[in-house]
Amino acid sequence: MTLNGLAYQYIIAAEAWPALPYLMPVPGFLLGLLVPNPGQLIARGPNWLAYLGLVLLLAVQQFLWFSMPAATVAGVLWLIALADVLAATVVGLLLGQMGKARSRDAFGHAGWGVLQLVPLLNLPLLLTRSRAGTEDQPRLLSSWDLPAGIVVVLGLTLIGTTKGLESLLETQLEPALAAEIEGNEAFATIFFRYQIEAQGLPAAIAEIAAGQPDPVEVEPGHRVLKLTADGAVLHVYHEFDEPEAEELTPDYRRALISDTCDGLGDILQAGGMVSRHFSRSVDGEEFEVLDIRNGDCFV
């Protein structure tokens, strides 16, 4: 499987598992707990601001996905997925290092640093004052050790900004990508190839069939009733308002094959088949079945 196929699998996994983005920093966090940082301390205010700042950076990094159509056409979709993984890993590592420094500053040892990534359980790290008698020891981000009121205001600002960006992503990203799929033929075609590579041809065909549940008017007197999937075969059911129809004309048959090769060529090139069924609306009688394979596109 290519890197772009893996990137598509990552996208599908993120859609299927909403918790995945929250779990991705965990490997880096565990690495941060393992990497020694002896003697490092950080006060609660700077730790909280740095924590919120890193979360904000992760939200900003997600805006790279607006460039997914351009990256897909350029063949570098995998770079955006890699950016996700690297950003989450680096943020996790820094949180692990900060957690140990905060635990050491508050409790005299690094053992409670493991709580840094766990919501609510990390409150002791966020709220406990620095140990008495350590006031003169150097601390990480000491310039961020501001009065409590300023820290609260800055923290709430960071939280609000992060939530606003996340809301913008949730409401704007999916419609923007859907519009690109509709209007950018190159993006839609290449993205569908990645889908076939990642999920297999039967799954891709099943998704196409499920995407058209209602009849679609092709032209006056001709409609597509439904699409169904059968393994590597996409069945397309046509209906004509022609009570005397017995067979397709040679020109119309060639035009349908050409349209199929243009619009569904990726299915054919991957070894699939498009089977078009034609019936009369007056009696529902099927009068012809046109099975189209990749070889038919070169005749």
Side-chain angles (χ1 to χ4, degrees), residues 76-89:
V76 292
L77 176 62
W78 62 273
L79 283 177
I80 303 181
L82 179 62
D84 266 17
V85 175
L86 290 178
T89 301

Side-chain angles (χ1 to χ4, degrees), residues 3-118:
L3 291 174
N4 287 315
L6 290 173
Y8 184 90
Q9 281 193 328
Y10 167 73
I11 294 169
I12 297 303
E15 292 178 350
W17 300 91
L20 182 61
Y22 301 98
L23 296 177
M24 285 178 61
V26 171
F29 180 72
L30 295 177
L31 180 62
L33 294 179
L34 292 174
V35 173
N37 62 345
Q40 289 188 348
L41 306 174
I42 187 171
R44 58 179 178 172
N47 179 65
W48 190 52
L49 292 178
Y51 179 100
L52 295 177
L54 289 171
V55 173
L56 175 60
L57 287 177
L58 280 181
V60 171
Q61 182 268 327
Q62 289 297 298
F63 279 80
L64 276 177
W65 286 101
F66 280 101
S67 66
M68 187 174 82
T72 300
V73 173
V76 292
L77 176 62
W78 62 273
L79 283 177
I80 303 181
L82 179 62
D84 266 17
V85 175
L86 290 178
T89 301
V90 171
V91 166
L93 187 148
L94 292 175
L95 289 176
Q97 291 279 286
M98 286 165 41
K100 291 197 299 180
R102 179 80 270 269
S103 176
R104 197 178 289 117
D105 179 62
F107 308 111
H109 59 82
W112 292 117
V114 69
L115 300 179
Q116 177 87 320
L117 200 62
V118 186

Side-chain angles (χ1 to χ4, degrees), residues 10 13 19 31 49 59 77 101 107 129 133 170 183-184 194 196 201 217 222 258 263 281:
Y10 167 73
L31 180 62
L49 292 178
L77 176 62
F107 308 111
R129 294 176 179 272
E170 289 176 3
N184 188 333
Y194 296 159
I196 293 175
L201 185 57
E217 194 78 15
H222 173 202
S258 178
S281 60

Side-chain angles (χ1 to χ4, degrees), residues 181-255:
I181 290 177
E182 288 290 329
N184 188 333
E185 184 176 346
F187 169 49
T189 299
I190 297 172
F191 197 65
F192 183 62
R193 290 176 191 165
Y194 296 159
Q195 180 182 4
I196 293 175
E197 181 183 343
Q199 295 183 304
L201 185 57
I205 289 177
E207 187 169 322
I208 290 176
Q212 185 179 309
D214 302 317
V216 173
E217 194 78 15
V218 179
E219 57 189 355
H222 173 202
R223 65 198 63 87
V224 172
L225 297 179
K226 62 179 179 179
L227 276 62
T228 64
D230 181 14
V233 181
L234 177 66
H235 294 274
V236 184
Y237 292 88
H238 299 257
E239 183 181 69
F240 288 94
D241 296 334
E242 292 287 343
E244 304 299 326
E246 294 291 342
E247 64 177 356
L248 301 174
T249 65
D251 288 344
Y252 199 76
R253 191 179 292 113
R254 282 194 296 270

